[in-house]
Amino acid sequence: CAKDRGRNQVCFFEQDMHAAAQERLALLQDLKSAVDNDALLTYAQPQVDAAGQLIGAELLLRWPHPQRGFVPPAQFIPVAEQAGLIVRMGARVIQQACATLAELHQQGRALSISVNVSPRQFRQADFVEQVRAALHSTGAPAALLTLEVTESLLVENWQDTARRMHELVALGVRFSIDDFGTGYSSLAYLKRLPLYELKIDRSFVQDAPSDANDAAIVQAILSVARHLRLRVVAEGVETRQQADFLIAHHCHGLQGYLFGLPQPLRDWLAGLKG
Ligand code: C2E
Ligand code: MG
Ligand code: MG
Ligand code: MG
């Protein structure tokens, strides 16, 4: 490398970048083969209402890597998103969600199923058609399918996003803004988009009610939602104290370890019958 210290730092930096890029590439190759071999697992985490009654579940992907063990979604979802692999992964989750809804419907259970939809997936030319086909082929009740999107989707191509959302809502499905309050978008979109629900991010729930700032943010979100007639689900509810605080401020749905860990979708379904 170079003689002076500044140059050296640049060299180390480049080496780090190189290592990180290689690591990403290795992860992507393994992920590709996991998708090809249908090795990704779908988990379900229950959602309950204020009375503790089960109202539905969110589907979450899990990747059991043969050498690394379970790779956290926070690591593999961004890689899949960047490489476009998320499109296939997401389509499969939607298909599973619809099959699950149809199965629940046949059992006479009106439970909702939420799926995470990444920006790349949402922007696919045939995304609306994909959802329509999944609903149609399974006979799932569309109104019980909730598509969770993040505010990042709303920052770009606003008009396209809004138009597509309206097309999907016309199919009967519902939209939820995931990790609400953590993005960079303006609140103006709340009144212009056909939304059904807001999900309060875990980071705000975590320290409420003991942290006065987080408590204030949670209350503000619930108040905005009430005035806009949006439903609210809190994520990451771990303690009874958090749940009581949320319920006292009229939060409709609660999701978190206090009420149930994510578990394999099949196990969750089997548990409903017991
Ligand atoms: P998310 O959609 O906000 O999901 C909630 C995350 O919080 C999940 O993390 C869940 O396991 C975790 N969680 C739930 N309750 C608690 C709790 O009480 N305490 C704590 N500490 N955590 C809790 P997970 O499963 O690691 O997923 C992380 C993120 O990965 C998800 O955040 C979602 O953005 C993304 N993701 C997962 N599955 C999919 C998928 O099928 N498609 C897409 N596009 N993204 C996905
Ligand atoms: Mg989510
Ligand atoms: Mg979330
Ligand atoms: Mg979150």
Side-chain angles (χ1 to χ4, degrees):
C1 255
K3 39 194 171 338
D4 63 77
R5 219 160 144 238
R7 271 304 265 277
N8 259 329
Q9 276 171 348
V10 169
C11 273
F12 282 126
F13 180 65
E14 279 172 355
Q15 275 168 15
D16 286 350
M17 294 276 285
H18 187 65
Q22 280 202 324
E23 161 69 11
R24 247 177 121 81
L25 193 64
L27 207 64
L28 177 59
Q29 274 163 353
D30 291 353
L31 186 58
K32 266 190 184 133
S33 72
V35 172
D36 287 340
N37 297 310
D38 212 8
L40 294 186
L41 308 176
T42 302
Y43 275 43
Q45 184 177 33
Q47 295 182 346
V48 303
D49 67 11
Q53 286 291 318
L54 183 70
I55 52 177
E58 176 179 8
L59 302 190
L60 296 160
L61 278 172
R62 292 289 177 266
W63 178 20
H65 188 285
Q67 284 87 40
R68 302 169 191 240
F70 280 86
V71 182
Q75 245 171 60
F76 73 80
I77 296 287
V79 173
E81 171 83 12
Q82 209 198 356
L85 195 58
I86 194 76
V87 173
R88 279 165 69 201
M89 292 161 57
R92 188 167 173 278
V93 175
I94 287 179
Q95 190 65 39
Q96 285 175 322
C98 290
T100 303
L101 281 170
E103 191 174 328
L104 291 168
H105 185 68
Q106 274 160 16
Q107 295 168 12
R109 288 179 219 272
L111 296 172
S112 68
I113 297 289
S114 299
V115 296
N116 296 285
V117 176
S118 85
R120 183 99 175 228
Q121 185 187 359
F122 182 89
R123 296 200 199 292
Q124 283 294 298
D126 66 346
F127 182 65
V128 178
E129 209 34 61
Q130 244 181 57
V131 174
R132 192 201 313 275
L135 289 168
H136 187 81
S137 68
T138 56
L144 293 174
L145 178 64
T146 304
L147 304 181
E148 295 189 4
V149 296
T150 55
E151 290 165 74
S152 62
L153 185 70
L154 313 174
V155 178
E156 277 174 65
N157 305 327
W158 208 89
Q159 239 125 27
D160 286 348
T161 302
R163 183 165 28 79
R164 187 157 289 201
M165 270 195 178
H166 280 285
E167 285 171 18
L168 286 155
V169 165
L171 296 179
V173 305
R174 291 163 161 176
F175 275 98
S176 175
I177 303 292
D178 203 355
D179 307 330
F180 183 74
T182 61
Y184 293 98
S185 62
S186 91
L187 284 178
Y189 74 82
L190 287 181
K191 60 173 189 188
R192 296 202 215 116
L193 293 175
L195 301 177
Y196 171 70
E197 173 187 284
L198 303 180
K199 285 190 91 170
I200 305 180
D201 190 64
R202 186 170 81 222
S203 61
F204 302 127
V205 172
Q206 209 160 45
D207 296 321
S210 50
D211 181 297
N213 292 333
D214 285 321
I217 290 172
V218 167
Q219 281 176 265
I221 293 174
L222 283 161
S223 165
V224 166
R226 183 161 61 252
H227 288 105
L228 294 171
R229 297 179 206 285
L230 295 170
R231 218 178 88 94
V232 180
V233 172
E235 62 180 27
V237 182
E238 294 183 355
T239 69
R240 193 63 244 175
Q241 202 199 11
Q242 290 164 348
D244 289 341
F245 172 76
L246 289 158
I247 292 163
H249 292 91
H250 312 290
C251 187
H252 310 93
L254 307 166
Q255 181 182 342
Y257 297 165
L258 181 65
F259 303 102
L261 299 170
Q263 55 176 311
L265 175 58
R266 276 287 131 207
D267 294 357
W268 178 70
L269 283 168
L272 295 179
K273 291 174 190 155

